[in-house]
Amino acid sequence: MNKLIKISFLLDGRMFSVETKSDRRLLDILREDAGITGVREGCGEGECGACSIFFNGRLANSCCIPAIAAEGAEIDTIDGFSKTEEYSIISQAFADAGAVQCGFCTPGFIMASAALLRENPRPTDNEIKIGLSGNLCRCTGYTMIIEAVRLASGRMARNV
Amino acid sequence: MHKISRPVNRDDSKNKSSGSAVYISDVIKPGMLAMAVKSADFQHGKINTIKKPELPEGYFYVDGKSFTGMNRASIVAQDWPFFAESEVLYFGQPVCAYTGPRIEVCEKLCIQTKIEYTPLPAVSVIEDAADFFNDYTIIKGNPDKSFKEAAQIFENQYRTGMQEQAYMEPQGMIAEFNEGKLTVYGSMQCPYYIKNSLKNAFNLDDDNVRVIQSITGGAFGGKEDYPSILAGQAAAAAIVSGKPVKIVLDRRNDMSVTPKRHPSLIKIRTAVDSEGNITAMDIDCRIDAGAYESLSGVVLERAIFISTGAYNIADVKVRGRTMKTNHIPSGAFRGFGGPQALFAADMNMYYLARKLNAAPLELKRRYLFQRGDISVTSGIFRDDIKLEEMISRVEEISDYSSKWAEYEKTSQAGDKMKGIGISFAAHGGAFTGNGEQEIIKSLVRLEWEPDKQTSAGGRLRILVSNVEMGQGASITLRKIVAEESGLPLEAIIFTNPDTDIVPDSGPTVASRTIMIVGKLIQDAAAMLKQKIEDDINSPSSVEKSYVHPPEFDWDEETFTGDAYPAYSWAVNVIEVEIDPITFEIKITGSWAVYDVGTPIDIKILEGQMQGGTAQSLGYSSIEKMQMINGKPAQVSFTDYTIPTTLDFPDTECVFIDNPYRYGPFGAKAAGELPNEGPAAAFTAAISQASGRMITEIPVTPEMLEEQLR
């Protein structure tokens, strides 16, 4: 299980290869080998969502994915996502709503918000709460984060 | 409201959103080593032997003997060692550490280190504790006489649990030692506390210790004390190895070793005369300090100084003690003793209302502090207290009284048991007692740097040691200076403090960043504005140091006088439903009205209040942390659940206008306030819904089942 393996995956649109232990966390590969530190470690056991990424298009906690599972996958992180128009709308909504305080959870929340809005562009408040329930924030009490998603949803609808 | 209250978008949301903000865990220095700390797996014992494994090349060992000065952190009391000496006093206490290139190897060396102990008796909870660090008594009026003449005496006790700060960014520090100079970078609230601690730990002079704050991902008090311990450990490793050393705690480690909110056990005896008036209270307040005193004495002061809550009781005796137990030293957490005392005080008023057959709000409002009243420490409430106006506002938004009357009749009927509670909270702004004038003596500096390329003609730099940790210090301090100087906000610069550059304006605690430091920079901005107007093209600067307004008197020996220059106030209403079969609790409404003087930014303040209320409701219900034989039973977010998006409703917040004379544009304390009141409002609501007098938090479905079945 703990042998060195070579894995390759599509990282933010570019091929990325690394030789690593098969059970190493994808989170560590992203932070240490790829240098993408915007993927944060808040708990290391899938509870807080600070390390959220898109794994083959789906929202996932990178701390819970072993290296071996990343072989051949398509992985998008906050680093690549932050260069998109979709990100601009969501991050502006976070800024306008006051949804950012200490900021440690923010990239994860933005990834989760994007995942929600892709699946459901006009979510109700309750759907927003369910969509973001895998991410923890200790600063805001969530009110302004939920408002940010509402704002982003409205602005995206106008943008179409 | 003042125009400064209008919201402005934060300056740090871009970097934080895109992930480009650099926290300490993201920093890599050339040649940097990792570090792992060996924690005691024993509650209380004398260390007989430490068997160390052989060190691989490039790895180093550090322990308490690595400190050339004192192996004690300077956190108010200087008693908490960086590494245990002859004795281990709590489970998880650092004993020694290893530093070297690979963290896995350092961790393995810790596991291979075997420590033998001679067991010593251990105390795990307040009730069993006989020893204490501090024992204070305050008397207001003549409580003995009132108790002697009382028609009835009521007695009850109130208990609050331990609470984890749960900042999202775990603690971390990097230390390096070059040519006799120690530099430390990390996640922190109080750069000069750490600097002072390191000077004492290594006998270094002022010029040879430098502390630089990195972007701090939440703190809530949790990064007031422990960063001094972590910095000392990393510094010892950097000095021994001659290389930069980084220590970042993972979540389990962080929750296993860092301080939490003090559990409390507060007994209140109340004297009532023949007409049903409350005449006196006799309060015994014990807080669980853990194994070292650290800053517990000051937490206790804050608790006992506000021990009757927002209520004016004529005759009061309070005894407070910080009980010594064998677990992690308790530490700072938003509210700092206030939440415990206010929970007991407010629930006691609820209890008295029930005993005296009065509606809780009716009884409570008869005793609310008014301007000119005397505090527990015999200080004077000099400013207008607008609690009556705040009650009107909270009634408008929550419909408290009619819901209360309805649930009083029907709470036990139907599918759900329903209840609603109201609480009142007071929070004294800035350092307790003589802290500001005698201990901190805050100094701030503003600098003007001319630059003809900019539209303002230059930049105005704010140089203070107070940190941005998520609470919005950067944007609010900049707004204060912009407003006073007339310069555009873009021309005002605030950066993370570096003790080689900024003066010591004190720690980032107790709402003093806005109330005290904010006022100093406002005054300095007015002075610098003159200099800039006289000569915009030359660099200039202004320093300003704190002068305590002479009208406030304080005697530190007897704890008599004005413990705080100004109080902030809150009224909270919480509505709940209990499932009669599963005892699951659902909070269905949360409303609050605040008096924080002038909000410097209404959106920042709403963020503080909504976030703080969620923390307080978590404290009241779902956040259960136990020490089982001195060992924390919940050390991850899997076991210790903090609120998610699905747990609580939004808190509707209203701010009333009541500017404070000595605050910047009228601002006073704010950040702690939302952690003070919600617990009692929630517990009153649960008490009404369940028909039981609940006196302990957190209230869990299991606890309700025990009470109701």
Side-chain angles (χ1 to χ4, degrees):
Chain A
M1 185 65 192
N2 234 343
K3 283 200 311 236
L4 281 185
I5 55 167
K6 189 182 173 199
I7 56 164
S8 302
F9 52 85
L10 204 58
L11 176 58
D12 291 323
R14 274 193 239 167
M15 273 317 280
F16 181 81
S17 299
V18 65
E19 200 175 68
T20 187
K21 282 182 184 166
S22 58
D23 65 347
R24 187 148 164 256
R25 305 181 303 177
L26 179 58
L27 169 65
D28 296 327
I29 295 170
L30 295 175
R31 287 182 55 85
E32 293 164 11
D33 300 348
I36 301 173
T37 53
V39 184
R40 313 276 184 213
E41 178 172 350
C43 72
E45 46 194 69
E47 294 289 346
C48 78
C51 65
S52 294
I53 55 163
F54 297 132
F55 190 79
N56 292 327
R58 293 177 63 102
L59 189 69
N61 291 318
S62 61
C63 70
C64 295
I65 299 172
I68 197 163
E71 170 63 26
E74 193 177 317
I75 290 165
D76 294 296
T77 72
I78 188 67
D79 197 46
F81 184 65
S82 64
K83 289 154 186 108
T84 63
E85 176 61 20
E86 204 181 345
Y87 168 84
S88 303
I89 295 171
I90 298 173
S91 65
Q92 189 61 48
F94 268 65
D96 294 343
V100 182
Q101 288 193 32
C102 88
F104 199 77
C105 71
T106 311
F109 265 99
I110 286 183
M111 299 300 274
S113 302
L116 168 69
L117 292 171
R118 282 175 186 180
E119 203 163 292
N120 180 359
R122 300 311 304 264
T124 62
D125 282 3
N126 200 45
E127 287 167 341
I128 295 172
K129 289 184 179 182
I130 293 167
L132 301 181
S133 63
N135 293 67
L136 294 176
C137 165
R138 189 59 154 172
C139 297
T140 63
Y142 304 106
T143 304
M144 290 178 180
I145 296 179
I146 293 160
E147 171 61 17
V149 178
R150 233 183 264 137
L151 258 183
S153 164
R155 288 174 183 177
M156 280 174 172
R158 277 203 304 280
N159 255 25
V160 173
Chain B
M1 276 213 177
H2 196 282
K3 67 183 194 312
I4 200 169
S5 303
R6 283 200 299 255
V8 172
N9 279 7
R10 290 176 67 117
D11 38 36
D12 54 356
S13 56
K14 267 203 176 69
N15 276 351
K16 287 175 171 176
S17 295
S18 68
S20 58
V22 177
Y23 295 83
I24 195 67
S25 56
D26 307 331
V27 176
I28 297 169
K29 303 242 170 225
M32 187 172 82
L33 302 182
M35 179 178 188
V37 174
K38 169 76 179 176
S39 295
D41 48 5
F42 204 83
Q43 190 178 5
H44 188 200
K46 188 179 160 294
I47 299 175
N48 294 331
T49 54
I50 301 177
K51 276 188 208 146
K52 288 167 275 187
E54 203 175 312
L55 283 176
E57 204 190 322
Y59 288 80
F60 301 87
Y61 170 84
V62 289
D63 64 13
K65 295 184 194 74
S66 310
F67 296 82
T68 45
M70 70 176 173
N71 176 29
R72 290 282 191 279
S74 306
I75 312 170
V76 188
Q78 297 180 320
D79 66 334
W80 192 356
F82 298 105
F83 293 106
E85 288 160 352
S86 56
E87 192 179 336
V88 157
L89 266 68
Y90 65 95
F91 197 99
Q93 181 166 8
V95 177
C96 58
Y98 296 92
T99 188
R102 291 181 52 213
I103 184 70
E104 302 83 9
V105 177
C106 297
E107 284 168 353
K108 198 171 169 194
L109 290 166
C110 287
I111 292 168
Q112 290 168 342
T113 302
K114 301 293 177 203
I115 307 167
E116 277 176 20
Y117 303 93
T118 303
L120 292 166
V123 175
S124 302
V125 291
I126 292 182
E127 287 92 325
D128 298 341
D131 298 339
F132 41 80
F133 297 106
N134 315 85
D135 183 2
Y136 303 140
T137 298
I138 314 171
I139 308 243
K140 171 191 175 187
N142 193 344
D144 284 349
K145 183 167 174 283
S146 289
F147 272 99
K148 237 174 255 161
E149 294 170 359
Q152 300 181 81
I153 292 173
F154 297 99
E155 190 169 338
N156 214 343
Q157 73 172 20
Y158 306 91
R159 191 188 292 270
T160 63
M162 197 169 254
Q163 188 185 20
E164 163 67 33
Q165 291 85 356
Y167 31 72
M168 280 297 119
E169 180 213 21
Q171 303 222 16
M173 209 60 73
I174 293 176
E176 55 188 355
F177 188 64
N178 290 320
E179 292 164 16
K181 182 156 184 166
L182 180 61
T183 305
V184 164
Y185 312 79
S187 184
M188 64 183 75
Q189 290 176 235
C190 315
Y192 273 94
Y193 275 11
I194 296 176
K195 176 166 174 159
N196 189 36
S197 222
L198 293 171
K199 279 164 61 183
N200 296 336
F202 300 102
N203 275 331
L204 291 168
D205 62 27
D206 222 27
D207 294 337
N208 285 323
V209 181
R210 179 180 188 185
V211 178
I212 303 171
Q213 183 233 358
S214 53
I215 295 177
T216 297
F220 317 114
K223 292 171 183 174
E224 174 174 347
D225 39 32
Y226 204 75
S228 293
I229 298 276
L230 213 52
Q233 294 173 343
I239 291 169
V240 167
S241 66
K243 300 237 169 87
V245 172
K246 178 182 191 174
I247 180 163
V248 173
L249 305 181
D250 66 23
R251 180 60 60 184
R252 280 177 179 264
N253 207 346
D254 187 301
M255 287 179 75
S256 300
V257 303
T258 62
K260 298 150 208 333
R261 194 188 293 288
H262 294 71
S264 73
L265 183 58
I266 300 177
K267 288 183 187 169
I268 307 181
R269 286 173 68 233
T270 307
V272 174
D273 70 12
S274 53
E275 276 138 48
N277 300 308
I278 300 169
T279 52
M281 286 186 183
D282 176 5
I283 303 169
D284 177 58
C285 171
R286 282 180 285 169
I287 62 172
D288 184 348
Y292 294 96
E293 181 181 345
S294 183
L295 45 65
S296 289
V298 194
V299 172
L300 178 68
E301 287 178 31
R302 206 174 251 286
I304 60 175
F305 295 172
I306 200 69
S307 55
T308 64
Y311 308 103
N312 185 19
I313 307 302
D315 299 314
V316 183
K317 180 186 173 196
V318 196
R319 182 183 186 194
R321 281 168 290 173
T322 49
M323 306 313 290
K324 185 176 179 181
T325 56
N326 295 102
H327 63 64
I328 303 169
S330 298
F333 193 159
R334 201 171 182 179
F336 209 73
Q340 296 93 324
L342 285 160
F343 173 75
D346 219 83
M347 286 315 293
N348 192 55
M349 292 300 277
Y350 180 89
Y351 167 69
L352 294 170
R354 291 304 192 187
K355 285 286 176 194
L356 299 168
N357 286 320
L361 176 55
E362 208 177 287
L363 183 83
K364 288 177 177 183
R365 76 196 304 175
R366 278 172 54 200
Y367 294 93
L368 291 171
F369 277 122
Q370 295 176 21
R371 183 183 206 153
D373 282 347
I374 304 297
S375 73
V376 173
T377 59
S378 302
I380 303 163
F381 287 98
R382 288 174 167 75
D383 302 321
D384 207 2
I385 298 173
K386 297 189 170 181
L387 288 170
E388 277 301 323
E389 178 188 334
M390 293 164 73
I391 293 172
S392 306
R393 298 300 302 276
V394 90
E395 287 277 20
E396 277 166 38
I397 57 175
S398 72
D399 209 11
Y400 166 80
S401 286
S402 57
K403 285 178 181 170
W404 185 83
E406 187 196 328
Y407 299 154
E408 197 67 359
K409 279 184 266 167
T410 63
S411 78
Q412 310 291 323
D415 293 350
K416 301 277 189 231
M417 297 142 77
K418 291 184 181 178
I420 194 162
I422 189 165
S423 70
F424 296 87
H427 186 84
F431 244 76
T432 299
N434 66 355
E436 293 295 342
Q437 60 273 37
E438 298 296 333
I439 300 164
I440 305 291
K441 300 175 185 166
S442 187
L443 176 68
V444 306
R445 188 160 74 241
L446 298 184
E447 286 178 1
W448 172 250
E449 299 167 4
D451 181 351
K452 285 180 184 159
Q453 309 293 314
T454 64
S455 61
R459 281 173 296 275
L460 196 163
R461 207 170 276 282
I462 301 172
L463 299 172
V464 296
S465 60
N466 303 83
V467 311
E468 169 63 58
M469 53 190 177
Q471 87 284 38
S474 171
I475 190 72
T476 44
L477 292 176
R478 287 175 59 225
K479 278 179 81 174
I480 289 167
V481 172
E483 184 69 23
E484 186 62 40
S485 67
L487 289 164
L489 192 60
E490 308 81 67
I492 317 297
I493 311 294
F494 174 92
T495 48
N496 291 350
D498 168 346
T499 58
D500 268 11
I501 297 169
V502 301
D504 186 359
S505 60
T508 316
V509 302
S511 276
R512 59 181 303 285
T513 300
I514 291 298
M515 188 167 140
I516 301 293
V517 177
K519 179 63 178 168
L520 288 174
I521 62 168
Q522 182 189 3
D523 293 348
M527 291 156 73
L528 190 56
K529 184 186 180 189
Q530 274 305 313
K531 289 192 176 185
I532 297 167
E533 278 169 7
D534 292 347
D535 181 3
I536 192 168
N537 294 320
S538 300
S540 50
S541 71
V542 166
E543 286 198 343
K544 188 98 175 72
S545 53
Y546 182 72
V547 179
H548 203 57
E551 67 184 88
F552 301 114
D553 249 353
W554 179 254
D555 182 343
E556 185 69 19
E557 291 303 306
T558 57
F559 287 158
T560 308
D562 298 297
Y564 306 97
Y567 290 80
S568 297
W569 305 89
V571 182
N572 281 93
V573 170
I574 302 287
E575 190 179 14
V576 302
E577 285 179 3
I578 304 171
D579 185 306
I581 296 164
T582 63
F583 301 103
E584 191 189 345
I585 297 162
K586 191 176 171 200
I587 298 172
T588 51
S590 173
W591 301 267
V593 181
Y594 303 102
D595 168 8
V596 295
T598 303
I600 294 298
D601 185 293
I602 199 82
K603 188 156 272 175
I604 293 285
L605 262 294
E606 280 172 0
Q608 285 294 296
M609 297 312 173
Q610 289 158 351
T613 303
Q615 288 179 355
S616 184
L617 292 175
Y619 179 48
S620 315
S621 60
I622 60 175
E623 294 184 29
K624 192 171 175 75
M625 175 160 271
Q626 299 153 290
M627 288 282 164
I628 295 176
N629 295 328
K631 187 178 176 180
Q634 293 83 12
V635 292
S636 73
F637 288 158
T638 310
D639 302 326
Y640 185 81
T641 51
I642 63 168
T644 70
T645 49
L646 295 171
D647 290 304
F648 304 135
D650 293 341
T651 295
E652 190 174 339
C653 305
V654 170
F655 296 90
I656 63 145
D657 203 30
N658 192 14
Y660 163 54
R661 287 165 295 153
Y662 297 114
F665 299 100
K668 55 187 179 183
E672 294 84 1
L673 206 49
N675 284 52
E676 306 280 22
F682 167 82
T683 309
I686 293 283
S687 295
Q688 185 187 35
S690 66
R692 296 286 190 283
M693 178 69 218
I694 308 292
T695 56
E696 180 178 344
I697 52 169
V699 183
T700 59
E702 293 79 7
M703 187 219 268
L704 282 180
E705 183 179 15
E706 229 168 78
Q707 294 248 352
L708 291 169
R709 279 237 163 101

